[in-house]
Structure formats: structure tokens, C-alpha cells
């Protein structure tokens, strides 16, 4: 997945304490590098879930992770330890 580093548009979002805590908890759980990255990922996921963004043909779910290839390593490790 390519990341467009040029982001000329700014969006300000106001959150209450609980929303802010939930965002940070999700961000740290997913090892996101920043709150902005977490918000962009959650926005992308929401749009995909609603059918507004579509993955390119041949795109795998692992292509959407932050640590490209880590999911495959974990899956192989789990498979090797169980069998």
C-alpha cells in the first residue's frame, strides 16, 4: 500500500475523554506511529466497510498492515509451532 506523504488538507476533530482514550488504546494496540496515522487508518477502514474505497485486484489483507510481512511471519510461526 502506498502512502501519500503530501497531505495539504487539514481536519480538526474534537473528542471527549472516552473517545480520546479509545483512540489511544487502539493506536497503541495496533502499534500505530501517531494519532494522525491511527485516525487515517480508522477512517480508511470505515470507508472500506461502507464500500466507498475498494482494494485493488490482487491486494491481500496483509498489504494494509503497518508492518508489511509481519502477519505472514506470525502465521508461519503459529503453523510451525502447532503442527
Amino acid at each position: 500500500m502506498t502512502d501519500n506523504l503530501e497531505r495539504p488538507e487539514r481536519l480538526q476533530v474534537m473528542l471527549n475523554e472516552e473517545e480520546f482514550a479509545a483512540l489511544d488504546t487502539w493506536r497503541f494496540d495496533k502499534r500505530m506511529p501517531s494519532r494522525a496515522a491511527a485516525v487515517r487508518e480508522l477512517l480508511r477502514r470505515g470507508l472500506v466497510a461502507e464500500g466507498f474505497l475498494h482494494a485493488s485486484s490482487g491486494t491481500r489483507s496483509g498489504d494494509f498492515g503497518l508492518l508489511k510481512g509481519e502477519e505472514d511471519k506470525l502465521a508461519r510461526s503459529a503453523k510451525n509451532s502447532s503442527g
Side-chain angles (χ1 to χ4, degrees):
M1 179 175 164
T2 61
D3 191 14
N4 182 3
L5 296 179
E6 183 181 322
R7 296 189 177 100
E9 301 299 326
R10 185 178 199 79
L11 173 66
Q12 183 174 351
V13 178
M14 303 298 290
L15 303 175
N16 66 32
E17 246 180 77
E18 290 175 359
E19 293 166 334
F20 198 78
L23 174 63
D24 271 352
T25 299
W26 187 85
R27 171 193 169 201
F28 292 125
D29 183 61
K30 301 298 183 192
R31 301 184 196 303
M32 301 296 292
S34 67
R35 284 185 185 120
V39 169
R40 282 191 299 272
E41 179 62 13
L42 288 167
L43 178 61
R44 186 194 65 76
R45 288 178 182 211
L47 290 170
V48 167
E50 294 294 320
F52 287 97
L53 295 178
H54 301 281
S56 301
S57 178
T59 302
R60 301 175 330 162
S61 60
D63 295 338
F64 292 97
L66 269 182
L67 303 174
K68 202 169 197 109
E70 290 300 311
E71 295 87 0
D72 292 336
K73 288 180 195 173
L74 290 172
R76 282 194 302 270
S77 175
K79 184 177 178 184
N80 289 337
S81 65
S82 67

